[in-house]
Amino acid sequence: MQRVIIHVDMDYFYAAIEEREDPSIRDKAVVVCMYSNRGEEGGAVSTCNYAARRAGIRAAMPCRQARSLKPDAVFLPVRKGFYEEVSKNLMAILHSYADSEEAFERTSIDEAFLDITRSCNSDFDIAREIGMRIKEEVKAQEKLTCSVGIGPNKLIAKMASSFRKPDGITIVRTEEVQDFLRPMPVGKLWGIGKVTEDKLAQMGIMTVADLEEHDIMELVRVFGKNKGTWLRHAASGIDETPVRERSASDQIGRMASLKHDTHDEQIVFSLLTELADDVMNRAQARKVGFRSVTVTVIFSNFKTSTKSRTLSHPVSDRQALHDTAREMMGQFLGETTMNFRRIGVMVGNLSEKTGQKSLFDFAE
Ligand code: TTP
Ligand code: CA
């Protein structure tokens, strides 16, 4: 049966909630700021409404810079707990449109995938009707707008939802996938980060069409087997990953800011060791093994990048966690000269049972 997947992404989420709560700011530029442990000066923009975006303000920009771009904008502090409450209500609405309890996957505070294959009987016209109903219900119940993407898999649905924003709906049928993807810059492919985009540019690969036509052996040589193959599949719009509920309890992670932005290996590794130890202690306290390790870096320009390793079976091995985290962090350090601002370590795919005690066959 041809799968039909919907991706829903709320429009300028935090700022839209603030507008809803205080309609008097609706016609103004609204900037929601996250003030870090470095105080107001170190704050970064979480998000902003479209009036603020027209002034050039973007997520992750220092709030100081946003202020100089638009001094008369309304600046508000992040109210994460409140947005989480709104998110819960929204997710309940979205969940009710999925084929089943399990056919739903929340991927962030304001995004989710729904498998609606059976509900629409693989018919994209019916899928569009469902997409429209979702938008209407979200607007009626929560007074918020969202953008909806519909496609034959998660990759296409995700890219379709960002195609027309805000308040858009985009349907990409199986036979339209190629025309939809090929003209796009490779950086727009879901899952390709800045580092990969730059590497591809060096190889002369600018568009998805370039990527699809590129020698697969060279992609594998440069990126390794898994990623090289993934790149080629993504370029062809192939993605077989299922929609599945992921719970926060399926992972244990910690992030922390470096004292100063730095690219110094010793300083970065020392914080990394601390974080990994803490994660390991928590995993041991919960008596769980893990099957994946993820390392996150937020660079001084606030761009975020992650690397992951997944094992064939769960382990609970402090040394393996340290070695794997260091290896991935070493790759980050080697790939860029940009300073790091924050780093994180996370283990996932947790399970009660662990396999052998020690192993080093972390595959990419
Ligand atoms: P996004 O969906 O990336 O952004 P958005 O909903 O604000 O805007 P868009 O209409 O383009 O989808 O992120 C969802 C929320 O997550 C966003 O409202 C605020 C928060 N967020 C941050 O706190 N920091 C960030 O760097 C980003 C990108 C988002
Ligand atoms: Ca959003």
Side-chain angles (χ1 to χ4, degrees):
M1 209 173 178
Q2 168 62 60
R3 283 202 301 160
V4 181
I5 310 297
I6 293 198
H7 181 253
V8 180
D9 178 7
M10 302 303 299
D11 300 320
Y12 60 102
F13 190 49
Y14 294 4
I17 296 174
E18 295 295 349
E19 281 184 2
R20 178 188 84 178
E21 295 301 301
D22 179 4
S24 76
I25 61 174
R26 190 145 249 174
D27 300 322
K28 300 180 182 151
V30 177
V31 184
V32 179
C33 280
M34 167 92 140
Y35 298 113
S36 67
N37 52 3
R38 299 180 185 191
E40 296 229 347
E41 269 307 283
V45 173
S46 266
T47 193
C48 58
N49 66 3
Y50 281 75
R53 290 181 197 193
R54 278 194 292 277
I57 300 174
R58 293 286 176 271
M61 176 183 278
C63 297
R64 213 175 330 114
Q65 190 182 347
R67 256 179 227 283
S68 66
L69 282 169
K70 191 100 179 109
D72 63 344
V74 178
F75 288 84
L76 299 167
V78 167
R79 295 194 280 167
K80 192 74 190 287
F82 178 52
Y83 310 146
E84 285 286 0
E85 287 303 311
V86 179
S87 174
K88 259 191 219 145
N89 299 339
L90 285 165
M91 294 299 160
I93 296 173
L94 302 183
H95 209 147
S96 70
Y97 284 89
D99 273 353
S100 68
E101 189 75 19
E102 301 78 40
F104 175 81
E105 180 174 341
R106 175 195 201 253
T107 50
S108 79
I109 192 165
D110 81 328
E111 293 181 28
F113 288 105
L114 290 61
D115 192 325
I116 57 158
T117 306
R118 276 190 280 121
S119 310
C120 73
N121 199 22
S122 295
D123 181 330
F124 278 88
D125 292 326
I126 300 173
R128 174 192 287 273
E129 292 304 316
I130 295 175
M132 294 303 295
R133 281 222 303 279
I134 291 175
K135 287 170 67 71
E136 279 159 26
E137 187 170 344
V138 164
K139 199 174 276 172
Q141 303 280 345
E142 291 296 324
K143 310 272 178 298
L144 294 168
T145 65
C146 59
S147 296
V148 166
I150 301 178
N153 58 47
K154 283 160 71 174
L155 173 80
I156 300 302
K158 165 83 183 175
M159 293 174 68
S161 72
S162 53
F163 196 68
R164 286 190 192 92
K165 261 189 153 298
D167 207 8
I169 182 164
T170 302
I171 289 86
V172 182
R173 293 170 167 77
T174 313
E175 62 273 20
E176 296 165 341
V177 165
Q178 294 284 304
D179 289 345
F180 176 69
L181 284 184
R182 285 177 61 88
M184 288 198 187
V186 272
K188 291 240 162 162
L189 261 187
W190 182 41
I192 292 194
K194 185 84 185 80
V195 175
T196 305
E197 184 185 356
D198 290 348
K199 239 191 233 177
L200 289 169
Q202 281 166 19
M203 297 164 71
I205 300 173
M206 312 308 286
T207 64
V208 175
D210 295 341
L211 181 58
E212 196 182 19
E213 286 154 18
H214 204 83
D215 176 23
I216 176 99
M217 291 319 288
E218 197 194 349
L219 292 175
V220 168
R221 242 190 334 273
V222 175
F223 295 98
K225 182 156 179 286
N226 282 351
K227 183 149 184 194
T229 319
W230 176 81
L231 282 168
R232 165 54 63 83
H233 280 157
S236 305
I238 298 167
D239 171 27
E240 279 162 12
T241 54
V243 171
R244 67 172 190 110
E245 182 63 290
R246 273 184 295 190
S247 68
S249 63
D250 192 38
Q251 52 198 43
I252 300 174
R254 258 211 70 192
M255 291 204 73
S257 293
L258 292 145
K259 286 214 175 64
H260 304 281
D261 293 3
T262 182
H263 190 268
D264 182 288
E265 183 175 299
Q266 236 180 324
I267 299 174
V268 171
F269 276 0
S270 137
L271 179 59
L272 183 71
T273 303
E274 229 178 273
L275 297 177
D277 265 330
D278 191 59
V279 166
M280 191 66 213
N281 293 343
R282 283 160 58 193
Q284 284 180 338
R286 276 177 54 185
K287 296 193 172 54
V288 288
F290 50 89
R291 215 160 65 74
S292 67
V293 179
T294 303
V295 166
T296 303
V297 174
I298 300 178
F299 296 99
S300 53
N301 64 357
F302 293 97
K303 282 262 178 324
T304 304
S305 195
T306 64
K307 286 184 193 293
S308 288
R309 296 274 188 282
T310 304
L311 291 163
S312 52
H313 53 280
V315 292
S316 172
D317 180 343
R318 192 175 294 268
Q319 194 59 46
L321 173 59
H322 279 293
D323 291 347
T324 313
R326 280 176 84 100
E327 185 203 325
M328 287 188 275
M329 192 55 87
Q331 287 174 357
F332 273 126
L333 287 161
E335 279 167 5
T336 171
T337 53
M338 200 184 295
N339 281 337
F340 295 6
R341 178 185 176 88
R342 252 170 103 70
I343 61 170
V345 181
M346 188 180 83
V347 296
N349 297 84
L350 305 183
S351 67
E352 312 279 300
K353 281 177 271 156
T354 66
Q356 63 209 73
K357 205 54 186 102
S358 157
L359 86 153
F360 298 91
D361 64 339
F362 276 92
E364 182 133 18

